[in-house]
């Protein structure tokens, strides 16, 4: 019997920095562990303002998409980067009755937000936070 993959959706405001960074970091981590077939990993935005724009240059290539209500049933974990993301995610999803909506750094043992490098310009700290959260998720 084949087990269904663990479905993870990372979400941030525009899907051009943090959520795409988390998507590709986790994809790399599972590939290095030989777990690629056990995961399905994507990213999305809570807003439409960056849809169609490329990922912010320091964060890698992928086009943005907006979170949809149907994502709630399609994913096991829907992971936001900050408190505003979580609020917007719950609004778009119509709530979180199954406890799927989580903040990334909860997996690293803290309730801190992953700062948005669009505003801070600090991609190193964002990358370190994303790595910590993804390592915690895999653990």
């Amino acid at each position: 019997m084949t087990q269904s993959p663990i479905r993870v959706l990372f979400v941030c405001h525009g899907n051009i920095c943090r959520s795409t960074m988390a998507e590709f970091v986790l994809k790399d981590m599972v590939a290095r562990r030989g777990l690629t077939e056990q995961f399905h990993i994507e990213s999305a935005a809570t807003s439409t303002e960056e849809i169609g724009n490329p990922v912010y240059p320091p964060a890698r290539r992928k086009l943005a998409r907006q979170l949809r209500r149907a994502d709630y049933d399609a994913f096991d974990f829907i992971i936001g980067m900050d408190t505003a993301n979580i609020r917007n995610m719950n609004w778009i999803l119509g709530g979180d009755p199954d406890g799927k909506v989580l903040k990334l750094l909860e997996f690293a043992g803290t309730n801190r937000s992953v700062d948005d490098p669009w505003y801070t310009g600090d991609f190193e700290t964002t990358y370190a936070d994303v790595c910590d959260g993804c390592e915690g998720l895999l653990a």
Side-chain angles (χ1 to χ4, degrees):
M1 181 172 135
T2 306
Q3 189 175 19
S4 296
I6 297 167
R7 300 161 301 164
V8 179
L9 180 64
F10 292 106
V11 181
C12 70
H13 181 75
N15 193 217
I16 63 168
C17 295
R18 297 171 293 171
S19 57
T20 50
M21 188 182 293
E23 175 186 354
F24 288 104
V25 164
L26 187 60
K27 282 179 176 178
D28 181 62
M29 287 178 176
V30 300
R32 290 174 187 259
R33 290 170 170 86
L35 303 173
T36 303
E37 298 302 315
Q38 295 178 33
F39 286 85
H40 174 85
I41 305 161
E42 292 184 29
S43 63
T46 60
S47 76
T48 59
E49 62 194 64
E50 297 292 349
I51 303 299
N53 290 333
V55 172
Y56 198 58
R60 245 357 191 200
R61 298 172 273 152
K62 187 162 171 47
L63 295 178
R65 79 161 177 91
Q66 188 175 20
L67 180 66
R68 301 178 293 265
R69 188 172 286 237
D71 288 328
Y72 195 79
D73 292 329
F75 289 90
D76 302 308
F77 296 95
I78 306 171
I79 302 170
M81 302 296 142
D82 61 36
T83 304
N85 296 156
I86 300 298
R87 181 185 62 246
N88 292 334
M89 291 161 60
N90 280 311
W91 182 79
I92 291 167
L93 297 169
D96 182 23
D98 299 328
K100 297 179 178 187
V101 175
L102 302 158
K103 198 185 299 184
L104 180 60
L105 288 178
E106 288 181 50
F107 294 100
T110 180
N111 195 34
R112 265 189 329 103
S113 293
V114 176
D115 288 335
D116 191 339
W118 176 265
Y119 299 105
T120 67
D122 184 358
F123 282 85
E124 292 302 317
T125 299
T126 298
Y127 180 75
D129 283 348
V130 165
C131 289
D132 288 347
C134 288
E135 285 289 352
L137 174 59
L138 282 179

